Amino acid sequence: MSTRPTITEQVPDPETAREEGARKIAWARQHMPILAALREEFEAEQPLAGERVGMAMHVEAKTAALVETLAAAGAEVAITGCNPLSTHDDVSAALDAHDRITSYAEREVDEDEYYAAIQAVIDHEPTVTVDDGMDLVAAIHEDYPELIDSVVGGCEETTTGVHRLRAMDADGALRYPVFAVNDTPMKRLFDNVHGTGESSLANVAMTTNLSFAGKNVVVAGYGYCGKGVAKKAAGQNATVVVTEVNSRRALEAHMEGYDVMPMAEAAEVGDVFITTTGNRDVITADHFPKMQDGVVLANAGHFDIEIDLDALDDLAVDRYEAREGVEAYELADGTRINVLAEGRLVNLASPIALGHPVEVMDQSFGVQAVCVRELAENGDAYDAGVHEVPDELDRLVAETKLDAEGIEIDELTAEQREYMDSWEHGT
Ligand code: NAI
C-alpha cells in the first residue's frame, strides 16, 4: 500500500483537517438544493427530535451534508464508514466537531478497526439505522438483538444491501422495517446509472491517466450501474463489450449496439474491465492468462469480490505499485495486469476518489432524509421487513429538484386523468 499522502491525507493537524473538511462540505451543500429545502423544513419542524440515527456510509462531503440535515432535524447522529478505503478523514473530523454528531470513520482501517467502529455506532443505541451495504442491520441482529425493539426502522442505500436484506427477510430473520432506498426511481435511475457511470470512468481515467477512446471497455453486468458505465464509455469513443448472465439484460445490451459475449472471450479482447455485477468471482483464474499485456481491471460493485485477486496473486510472479492506486501483477509470460483500488469500488476507494457527482447524491440523500423522517413519524405503520419507498415521498423529492432547477412541467387535465383511469374508452 502507498505511503504517499492521498488527496484525503494531505492535512497535517486536526484544526486544519476540520477546516478543510468543512470547506468540502460547504461546496457540496451549495449544489444540493433538495437537502437545502429539506433542511429548512426540518430545522423549523424538528421531526427527528429525540431520535438517535446510526449510520454506516461512505463518509465524504455529500454524505456529510445528509448527516448535518438529520442533525438539523433534531437527531443525534453517530456515523462510521461502510468501506475501509472510502472515508475522507478531514470530512470525518469536521462532522465530529458538530455538537450532535459523532464520527468514528477513518480511512485505511483494518478489519478489526472497521468492525470496532460499527460497534461504536451501535453503542449509541440507534432508533433509526442508515446503511450502505447492510453492515449495521447485520451487526444489530447478530450481536445486539436486545436493541431491536427500540429501533423504529432503517434505510438501505445500495443494491447489494437490499439483496442481502431481502434474503434476510425471506428467511424471516429481519426484525425491523427497512426502506429499500436503492430501489426507488429517484435513486436508482440516477445514482446507479449516471453516478456510477460518470464517477467510475472518471476515476479510472484519473488514476491511470489513460484514455478510453479507441479502447475495448468490458462492462461485466448490464444492470443499472453497468448501463451507465457502458453508455458513458461509448460516449468517450470506447468500443463497449458487455458480459451478462441474464438473457433479457444481454439482449438489451445487444440492441443498444454493444458486443455481448462470455467473459472467457471478453478476457482476450478487453483493454479495460469494469465489473458492476454485485456478484462474486466474475473475473477469475480462468480469465487472467487470456488477457493482453497492460490491461486495467476495476470494480464498481459494492464488495471487493468481483475480481479474484487471490487467484491473480497466485498466478503472478511479481507484484508492485505501478502508480498510486494501481497495483501491477506480472504473470510468468511477462503480461502485466493492472488492478485499481485493490478491487474495491473504484469510484470511492481509489486515492483520488470523490464518489458520485454532488447533484446525483442530492437526489439519493433527499430520499434518505424523507425516509428517515417517515420512520420517525410513522414507523409503527410498517411491519418488520423490506419496504418500497412510498411513491409520494419519491415524487416529493423529484418535485423539489424540478423546483430548484426552475423546470416546469404540464399537469393532467381532469379529462385526461379520467381517461387514463378508465377501461371503458376504446375505439
Ligand atoms: P443490478 O442488479 O441492476 O445489475 C447487476 C447485473 O449484473 C444484473 O443484470 C445481473 O444479471 C448481472 N450479473 C450478475 N452476475 C453476473 C456475472 N457473473 N457475470 C455477468 N453479469 C452478472 O444491480 P446494480 O444496481 O447495477 O448494482 C450493481 C452493484 O453495484 C451492486 O453491488 C451495487 O450495490 C453496486 N453499486 C455501486 C455503486 C458505486 O458507487 N460504485 C452505486 C450503486 C450501486
Side-chain angles (χ1 to χ4, degrees), residues 46-375:
Q46 295 292 291
L48 305 185
E51 301 295 343
R52 294 181 300 280
V53 180
M55 303 175 73
M57 304 200 94
H58 301 291
V59 177
E60 48 77 65
K62 283 102 59 187
T63 312
L66 169 65
V67 175
E68 288 181 347
T69 305
L70 301 179
E76 278 187 32
V77 187
I79 183 164
T80 183
C82 64
N83 182 298
L85 289 184
S86 65
T87 295
H88 287 217
D89 288 334
D90 46 11
V91 170
S92 180
L95 276 179
D96 197 52
H98 190 292
D99 272 357
R100 282 207 295 278
I101 301 168
T102 312
S103 177
Y104 297 98
E106 261 184 78
R107 193 180 178 92
E108 294 196 1
V109 286
D110 63 26
E111 203 170 310
D112 288 345
E113 291 165 328
Y114 179 83
Y115 285 106
I118 296 266
Q119 191 177 327
V121 167
I122 296 173
D123 286 342
H124 288 253
E125 303 189 356
T127 54
V128 177
T129 58
V130 182
D131 264 311
D132 186 328
M134 210 200 88
D135 281 345
L136 282 177
V137 172
I140 289 173
H141 280 71
E142 276 162 28
D143 303 326
Y144 302 87
E146 69 282 5
L147 292 184
I148 289 175
D149 284 346
S150 52
V151 179
V152 287
C155 299
E156 172 54 53
E157 173 77 6
T158 200
T159 312
T160 288
V162 171
H163 278 169
R164 294 176 73 195
L165 284 163
R166 288 201 197 284
M168 202 174 165
D169 198 7
D171 277 352
L174 180 57
R175 291 180 47 207
Y176 63 79
V178 182
F179 281 127
V181 169
N182 175 76
D183 292 1
T184 203
M186 280 300 287
K187 195 278 182 184
R188 185 154 69 175
L189 299 180
F190 301 89
D191 177 312
N192 300 33
V193 179
H194 296 282
T196 310
E198 283 185 30
S199 64
S200 300
L201 292 180
N203 275 285
V204 172
M206 295 289 287
T207 308
T208 60
N209 199 19
L210 298 173
S211 168
F212 289 109
K215 293 221 170 50
N216 290 334
V217 173
V218 177
V219 181
Y222 196 66
Y224 290 90
C225 295
K227 284 175 189 170
V229 173
K231 187 182 174 88
K232 296 191 192 241
Q236 295 191 48
N237 298 353
T239 299
V240 173
V241 175
V242 168
T243 73
E244 250 300 342
V245 291
N246 174 312
S247 50
R248 284 169 295 192
R249 292 232 161 129
L251 268 176
E252 275 188 80
H254 172 67
M255 294 296 276
E256 204 60 46
Y258 305 133
D259 289 335
V260 179
M261 60 185 80
M263 183 57 82
E265 284 172 37
E268 293 175 12
V269 298
D271 298 302
V272 178
F273 295 74
I274 303 179
T275 52
T276 68
T277 71
N279 205 346
R280 59 178 304 158
D281 306 331
V282 178
I283 305 183
T284 66
D286 292 340
H287 308 123
F288 302 125
K290 301 180 179 204
M291 290 181 174
Q292 309 179 66
D293 182 31
V295 292
V296 168
L297 311 189
N299 166 47
H302 189 76
F303 287 119
D304 58 341
I305 52 171
E306 306 214 9
I307 305 168
D308 188 348
L309 289 182
D310 290 337
L312 181 55
D313 197 32
D314 288 346
L315 283 174
V317 293
D318 194 12
R319 181 179 157 177
Y320 53 91
E321 187 185 59
R323 272 173 70 80
E324 194 180 5
V326 183
E327 187 80 354
Y329 293 75
E330 198 168 317
L331 308 190
D333 65 357
T335 303
R336 286 159 296 185
I337 295 179
N338 297 301
V339 177
L340 269 52
E342 301 174 19
R344 295 186 187 275
L345 292 155
V346 68
N347 58 326
L348 284 148
S350 69
I352 50 152
L354 297 172
H356 286 5
V358 180
E359 299 91 329
V360 166
M361 294 318 294
D362 189 31
Q363 295 188 188
S364 303
F365 290 158
V367 177
Q368 288 283 7
V370 294
C371 284
V372 173
R373 177 176 62 184
E374 174 70 4
L375 288 170

